[in-house]
Every structure is written in structure tokens, then in C-alpha cells.
């Protein structure tokens, strides 16, 4: 029996893929919506496997301006990372869509081995 009490065994499926990390600032907007939320929604609409947003407590970028929670006047524009992981072809198709919505920021691509765990029950 599995840890969850299920008689069905979990299966592990692996494949090669890419991790796309997009470094932006919290205050950036696209059509009056936070840019990080727009990127996540676009990834969802495009069928990517998943996305997660990380809010940094401190960082700087191209202009070397420090964004930190330690200074109240800049704590509303903290660094954000939107991370997406999927098959290489899916990430490559998604990249050009960012050109129209990201005014400035940095993106990194890293090869990854994706391991997906699934229960033995197929919906």
C-alpha cells in the first residue's frame, strides 16, 4: 500500500525539457493586470504543463536599482520570477509570445529532466 493508503501504485514518468525563468518586477503591468499574472494566464491558455511565481525579498537588475522589503518606499516593486517547465518544443513555442507582453526583464532557459508522478488511477 502507498503512503496515502491507496492500493494503486504511483508511477513515475520522465522526459527531457526546458525550464524557463522570467525575471521581472512586481510593478510591471500588461493591460492593467500584473505582468506575472498575465504570463501565468498565457501559459495556461497555451497548454503549458505548469507555472509558478516566486516573489523575491531583495534584488536588482539592469539599472542596478535595489528593490527590497527593507525599504518601505520600494517594497511594492519587488523582484518576481515566473518559472515554467515543459517539453522543449512547448517552451520554444511559448517564447515568442512573451515578446508582445514583457517590456523589460530577463529570461533564462535551462535543460531539465522532468519527472512527473501520477497515481495508478487514470481519470
Amino acid at each position: 500500500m502507498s503512503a496515502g493508503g491507496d492500493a494503486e501504485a504511483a508511477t513515475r514518468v520522465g522526459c527531457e525539457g526546458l525550464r524557463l525563468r522570467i525575471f521581472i518586477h512586481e510593478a510591471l503591468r500588461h493591460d492593467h493586470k500584473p505582468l506575472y499574472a498575465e504570463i501565468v494566464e498565457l501559459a495556461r491558455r497555451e497548454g503549458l504543463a505548469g507555472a509558478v511565481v516566486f516573489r523575491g525579498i531583495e534584488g536588482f537588475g539592469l539599472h542596478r536599482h535595489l528593490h527590497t522589503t527593507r525599504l518601505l518606499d520600494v517594497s511594492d516593486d519587488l523582484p518576481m520570477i515566473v518559472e515554467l517547465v515543459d517539453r522543449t518544443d512547448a517552451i520554444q513555442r511559448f517564447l515568442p509570445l512573451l515578446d508582445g507582453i514583457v517590456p523589460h526583464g530577463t529570461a533564462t532557459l535551462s535543460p531539465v529532466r522532468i519527472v512527473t508522478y501520477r497515481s495508478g488511477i487514470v481519470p
Side-chain angles (χ1 to χ4, degrees):
M1 222 181 256
S2 68
D6 237 349
E8 298 291 330
T11 58
R12 197 167 32 130
V13 180
C15 68
E16 300 304 314
L18 285 175
R19 175 179 54 213
L20 170 60
R21 281 184 152 182
I22 306 156
F23 297 80
I24 56 175
H25 292 285
E26 184 177 25
L28 287 176
R29 299 279 185 263
H30 182 263
D31 290 340
H32 308 290
K33 184 176 181 181
L35 180 59
Y36 63 86
E38 184 63 29
I39 293 170
V40 169
E41 178 59 26
L42 180 60
R44 190 186 66 75
R45 282 193 316 261
E46 292 297 316
L48 267 65
V52 65
V53 177
F54 299 96
R55 184 176 193 229
I57 60 170
E58 188 164 292
F60 68 90
L62 178 66
H63 300 293
R64 317 295 274 182
H65 179 76
L66 185 63
H67 299 265
T68 178
T69 57
R70 293 182 290 133
L71 303 171
L72 293 178
D73 59 332
V74 293
S75 64
D76 62 343
D77 190 19
L78 293 170
M80 305 290 284
I81 299 172
V82 182
E83 185 169 291
L84 305 111
V85 176
D86 206 327
R87 295 176 328 276
T88 299
D89 59 324
I91 295 292
Q92 293 290 358
R93 278 194 312 272
F94 185 74
L95 275 171
L97 301 177
L98 295 175
D99 296 345
I101 65 170
V102 178
H104 56 85
T106 301
T108 61
L109 289 168
S110 305
V112 293
R113 175 82 176 147
I114 301 167
V115 178
T116 305
Y117 294 91
R118 299 179 187 197
S119 68
I121 302 169
V122 179

